[in-house]
Amino acid sequence: MECNGKKASGFNTQIIHDEYQAPAGFAAFTVPIHHASTVLFDNVAAMRARTWLEKSSYTYGLHGTPTSFTLEARLAQIEGGNHCLLAPSGLAAITLIDLTFLQSGDDVLIPDNAYGPNRELANWLSGSFGVSARFYDPLIGAGITDLIQSNTKLIWTEAPGSVSMEVPDIPAICAAAREKGVLVALDNTWAAGVAFSAFDHGVDIVMQALTKYQSGGSDVLMGAVITRSKELNARLLTAHMLLGLGVGMDDAYLVLRNLPTLKLRFDAHDSSARKVARWLSQRPEIAKVLHPALPDCPGHDVWKRDFTGAGGLFSVLFDARYSEQQTDRFVDHLKLFKIGFSWGGAHSLCVPYRIEKMRGNWTHKGVLVRFNIGLEDADDLIADIEQALMQL
């Protein structure tokens, strides 16, 4: 490195600046991890011509590096969209959508079975920011048209619903919303973009918690917002920048590393979960199995019509004769199943819920317990459940 015609000789300068450049031509399957807060420009003109809005160049680490741009492109392709933005978590992705398309005086409709933090965020927006948030029956279908007001700007959907697993009629909701000029956002985490083609069924904005199947390792928090519309993406991109949302490139790499096996893992989860769910449906301790691929699940016919798979997450309702203390004892005696939130990783999980406190009009009897079926052998998981049922 020369300055004023002389080679810099100071030790501190030499360990920061060097003339070496790695030779071109290196190729590998993995996407390089590009860490950067500062992005360098060739000259002042290039710096002044920067444009983060189009993502056609690199401007600052928060707006992305080749690592995050590659992940966004692949996620958009998997989901059948054209644009993708990354967020630090699934909830951050939900927040991005709400703060982009809602302002004081607007109304948002949210299914009664939505992901808990989505409900809490809506209540916060309602209580502190003047946004009207109303909750609707997730099985309302085309009937949602009667709930749409002149100030309704956004309808949230979730397929299936969190914990209680109802499968909504997304095309019917989207058709009603489109007629009234209202946007529809879908939490498509359960289907991972693998088992449900959201945009082909009328959805405007897709949210994914990459924490689940895309990561697959129970070790990454990340979310994504995907659209087909250039106009919607431009609005999201502005809010994304102003909120300072960004992800670490090491985490982006971990998701990129696991994406090639996404479909294989999803199908493996699906196969084992159906086997376990069918076995549970024959047990006298279980009143109902809430698995979209099984007839007892509300919206099962819609699932058969619109979905191509089911993944590893489902719930059961224990017979009403069993108390919460007994079902807690069942969960505590599981050995292969661990107790913990989130899902989509290799390890099986089990969580009991006080569902009647989470839903506005819950009328079913019996304690609800949710299973995430991991990648263990299904027969071993069944044996584990069987021995724990003996503790009731």
Side-chain angles (χ1 to χ4, degrees), residues 19 21-22 27 53-54 57 76 106-107 131 218 220 224 239 248 258-259 308-309 341 349 356:
E19 297 177 352
Q21 289 190 1
L53 274 170
E54 296 179 2
S57 61
D106 289 344
D107 176 67
V131 173
S218 303
V220 173
N258 288 334
L259 278 185
T308 60
F341 296 105
L349 299 169
E356 68 280 355

Side-chain angles (χ1 to χ4, degrees), residues 111-114 136-142 156-173 186-188 190-191 195-197 201 288-311 313-315 359 362 364:
D112 188 49
N113 60 357
Y136 67 88
D137 179 350
L139 299 177
I140 195 171
W156 271 102
T157 56
E158 190 167 332
S162 183
V163 182
S164 50
M165 309 305 293
E166 300 93 341
V167 184
D169 190 336
I170 296 294
I173 292 173
L186 169 68
D187 183 339
N188 201 25
W190 185 83
F196 182 71
S197 181
H201 286 87
K288 183 176 289 190
V289 177
L290 302 174
H291 187 300
L294 271 62
D296 273 353
C297 190
H300 167 68
D301 290 341
V302 172
W303 176 85
K304 284 200 302 183
R305 184 192 70 191
D306 295 341
F307 287 72
T308 60
L313 194 74
F314 68 92
S315 297
R359 300 288 183 263
W362 187 259
H364 301 286

Side-chain angles (χ1 to χ4, degrees), residues 139-346:
L139 299 177
I140 195 171
I144 201 165
T145 190
D146 296 330
L147 299 181
I148 298 175
Q149 302 173 164
S150 59
N151 65 333
T152 303
K153 299 296 190 238
L154 180 66
I155 297 174
W156 271 102
T157 56
E158 190 167 332
S162 183
V163 182
S164 50
M165 309 305 293
E166 300 93 341
V167 184
D169 190 336
I170 296 294
I173 292 173
C174 290
R178 187 175 299 108
E179 189 174 328
K180 298 289 184 72
V182 178
L183 295 172
V184 175
L186 169 68
D187 183 339
N188 201 25
T189 302
W190 185 83
V194 172
F196 182 71
S197 181
F199 295 116
D200 291 342
H201 286 87
V203 172
D204 298 297
I205 308 155
V206 171
M207 169 264 158
Q208 286 271 9
L210 309 180
T211 307
K212 308 301 194 293
Y213 291 121
Q214 287 85 352
S215 161
S218 303
D219 57 357
V220 173
L221 290 169
M222 197 179 297
V225 177
I226 303 167
T227 61
R228 281 183 173 174
S229 164
K230 183 176 180 180
E231 187 271 331
L232 294 180
N233 181 66
R235 294 173 66 183
L236 286 161
L237 192 58
T238 298
H240 188 268
M241 184 276 291
L242 293 173
L243 290 168
L245 296 179
V247 302
M249 294 306 115
D250 290 297
D251 286 346
Y253 169 78
L254 289 174
V255 177
L256 277 166
R257 185 182 65 177
N258 288 334
L259 278 185
T261 62
L262 172 62
K263 181 66 163 57
L264 293 172
R265 289 183 286 107
F266 186 89
D267 289 347
H269 288 291
D270 187 354
S271 176
S272 292
R274 294 198 206 201
K275 184 172 183 177
V276 175
R278 285 193 294 267
W279 181 84
L280 279 164
S281 69
Q282 303 301 313
R283 295 291 303 194
E285 301 91 344
I286 305 300
K288 183 176 289 190
V289 177
L290 302 174
H291 187 300
L294 271 62
D296 273 353
C297 190
H300 167 68
D301 290 341
V302 172
W303 176 85
K304 284 200 302 183
R305 184 192 70 191
D306 295 341
F307 287 72
T308 60
L313 194 74
F314 68 92
S315 297
V316 301
L317 285 172
F318 274 80
D319 189 278
R321 69 181 182 271
Y322 296 110
S323 67
E324 181 180 83
Q325 183 180 15
Q326 288 175 293
T327 53
D328 283 357
R329 188 162 61 243
F330 159 78
V331 175
D332 284 341
H333 276 83
L334 290 166
K335 301 182 185 306
L336 294 178
F337 288 87
K338 305 304 179 184
I339 303 171
F341 296 105
S342 200
W343 38 273

